[in-house]
Amino acid sequence: MKKKIICICMLWMLLVLSGCGAVKKAVNLSTSYEEHYESSEEQLKDKVLTERWQAKGVRLGVIAKEDAKKEVSYQNAKEALLINCDTNEVLVSQNVFDRTYPASTTKIMTALLVLENLDLKEEVTIKHDITFDDSAAVSMKLKKGDKISVESLLNALIVMSANDAAVALAEETAGSEAKFVNMMNERAKELGATGTHFANSHGLHEKNHYTTAYDLYLIFHEVTKHNEYFDIASKANSYIEYTDASGQLKAYDMSSTDEYLTGEHALPSKISFVGGKTGTTTEAGACLVLMTENDKGEEYISVVLKADNHPILYKTMNEVLSEENK
């Protein structure tokens, strides 16, 4: 009987010991990401490392820094990028990792966080008059007590690039703009946009507010998961209504800042507009991020930053977009 008990005990101990070894091995497998990044074990990639695997850019256009093109093909813009979203092929790459100011292309990240965290039908009560030191800052002139939907604020943010809409959405999402900026920077890191640092929700110039063309591609690529963004970004005009603190109905009829939509510039032949975001400040120059589609139905993301002025911005963008047809 004693021998039987001893045998059972020894067997149990062996099982426990072997079990510990198995657990330890499993932990090592699941946490040793870099080791398995080169692995061809599809099951491991799909079941254990799904999110981190995606974050490494497997489903994105990837440009190695050492392979980034050094020559400047587009003389009147600092950065230019064009990536086929269907194949992840990089067709244009000019200085795409150089730090530059984003201006209102910042609002792509603001919109992304709003779409991820708020209901479009939610009503927002403006907490204070939203003003800016820059008298030229585009604004709806939102006042304390105004009541306006998230959807209307998003229209103002994307279509007319209203800076006070950005602040209102930031405060509604995070409680304060400062907390929202922390969310922006954290989300940028999650998306791999490590060359970016945000200091506000709108893009008015601050020295410590910067990005790169490639980072904007990563952020905009994430926005493509939200059809609501493109429902708004494809509008040449938008009409919204809201009420002020006294309950009086207010209305705002706005035009797009995108000159492709307003007809001031035409896209190259066989290329269709899907949506995007403009940005302009003295320090940032003229900027544009776009999603377009060629006649084969392939979608592309393009970025042009720090063009000398608006006519040159759209001329340069057309040169970049023409690569879709080659």
Side-chain angles (χ1 to χ4, degrees), residues 13-31:
M13 287 175 69
L14 285 169
L15 287 170
V16 169
L17 287 171
S18 63
C20 289
V23 170
K24 187 175 182 180
K25 187 176 181 182
V27 170
N28 286 339
L29 280 173
S30 64
T31 57

Side-chain angles (χ1 to χ4, degrees), residues 132-148:
F132 301 94
D133 294 335
D134 183 353
S135 60
V138 176
S139 173
M140 293 176 63
K141 313 294 184 189
L142 291 170
K143 304 291 185 184
K144 182 178 180 179
D146 288 347
K147 294 182 184 299
I148 183 169

Side-chain angles (χ1 to χ4, degrees), residues 30 33 35 89 93 108 114 172 191 204 212-213 235 249 285 294 303-304 311 313:
S30 64
Y33 175 63
E35 177 185 353
E89 181 185 1
S93 171
I108 297 169
V114 168
E172 184 68 16
L191 296 173
L204 291 175
T212 70
K235 295 178 180 178
L249 185 66
N294 67 10
V303 183
V304 173
L313 171 67

Side-chain angles (χ1 to χ4, degrees), residues 38-297:
E38 302 298 331
S39 171
S40 61
E41 300 173 48
E42 295 300 327
Q43 186 176 11
L44 180 65
K45 295 174 189 176
D46 292 339
K47 294 187 177 180
V48 180
L49 301 172
T50 303
E51 291 302 317
R52 286 175 290 176
W53 192 260
Q54 288 181 21
K56 281 289 183 181
V58 172
R59 292 171 175 82
L60 295 165
V62 177
I63 308 170
K65 291 194 176 184
E66 59 271 21
D67 296 332
K69 292 181 181 178
K70 302 299 182 185
E71 68 268 19
V72 176
S73 303
Y74 306 94
Q75 298 289 335
N76 297 307
K78 181 178 181 181
E79 300 186 30
L81 178 65
L82 178 66
I83 296 179
N84 183 321
C85 296
D86 289 30
T87 64
N88 295 329
E89 181 185 1
V90 180
L91 286 82
V92 171
S93 171
Q94 175 177 300
N95 300 325
V96 296
F97 299 114
D98 288 3
R99 182 182 293 185
T100 191
Y101 299 118
S104 283
T105 60
T106 298
K107 295 181 174 85
I108 297 169
M109 176 61 90
T110 299
L112 173 63
L113 288 174
V114 168
L115 290 165
E116 289 177 339
N117 291 279
L118 296 181
D119 184 335
L120 294 189
K121 300 304 179 185
E122 179 180 332
E123 184 179 72
V124 176
T125 299
I126 305 303
K127 300 178 178 67
H128 57 91
D129 293 359
I130 302 176
T131 59
F132 301 94
D133 294 335
D134 183 353
S135 60
V138 176
S139 173
M140 293 176 63
K141 313 294 184 189
L142 291 170
K143 304 291 185 184
K144 182 178 180 179
D146 288 347
K147 294 182 184 299
I148 183 169
S149 70
V150 169
E151 185 173 13
S152 292
L153 285 170
L154 264 181
N155 272 265
L157 180 85
I158 298 167
V159 176
M160 70 173 283
S161 206
N163 295 294
D164 51 348
V167 174
L169 288 166
E171 292 177 345
E172 184 68 16
T173 302
S176 71
E177 188 178 17
K179 290 180 180 177
F180 186 80
V181 169
N182 288 338
M183 289 177 66
M184 295 171 77
N185 287 318
E186 185 62 32
R187 194 73 177 98
K189 288 179 184 177
E190 291 172 358
L191 296 173
T194 56
T196 291
H197 182 269
F198 294 112
N200 60 56
S201 61
H202 40 72
L204 291 175
H205 182 69
E206 291 190 46
K207 189 175 181 181
N208 201 30
H209 187 93
Y210 53 81
T211 191
T212 70
Y214 187 70
D215 282 5
L216 282 176
Y217 157 72
L218 294 174
I219 296 166
F220 195 60
H221 187 278
E222 192 69 12
V223 169
T224 63
K225 297 177 180 178
H226 300 273
N227 291 332
E228 301 94 332
Y229 183 93
F230 295 94
D231 289 343
I232 296 171
S234 59
K235 295 178 180 178
N237 299 280
S238 183
Y239 175 83
I240 62 173
E241 293 181 345
Y242 62 101
T243 58
D244 64 17
S246 66
Q248 183 177 353
L249 185 66
K250 311 278 283 186
Y252 214 102
D253 196 0
M254 62 189 78
S255 296
S256 175
T257 57
D258 193 308
E259 294 178 13
Y260 285 128
L261 284 173
T262 57
E264 293 166 78
H265 296 277
L267 288 162
S269 175
K270 300 179 181 178
I271 294 175
S272 303
F273 185 95
V274 180
K277 186 70 195 77
T278 61
T280 307
T281 64
T282 300
E283 297 81 2
C287 308
L288 182 58
V289 181
L290 278 184
M291 173 167 273
T292 51
E293 185 177 294
N294 67 10
D295 60 346
K296 299 175 185 175

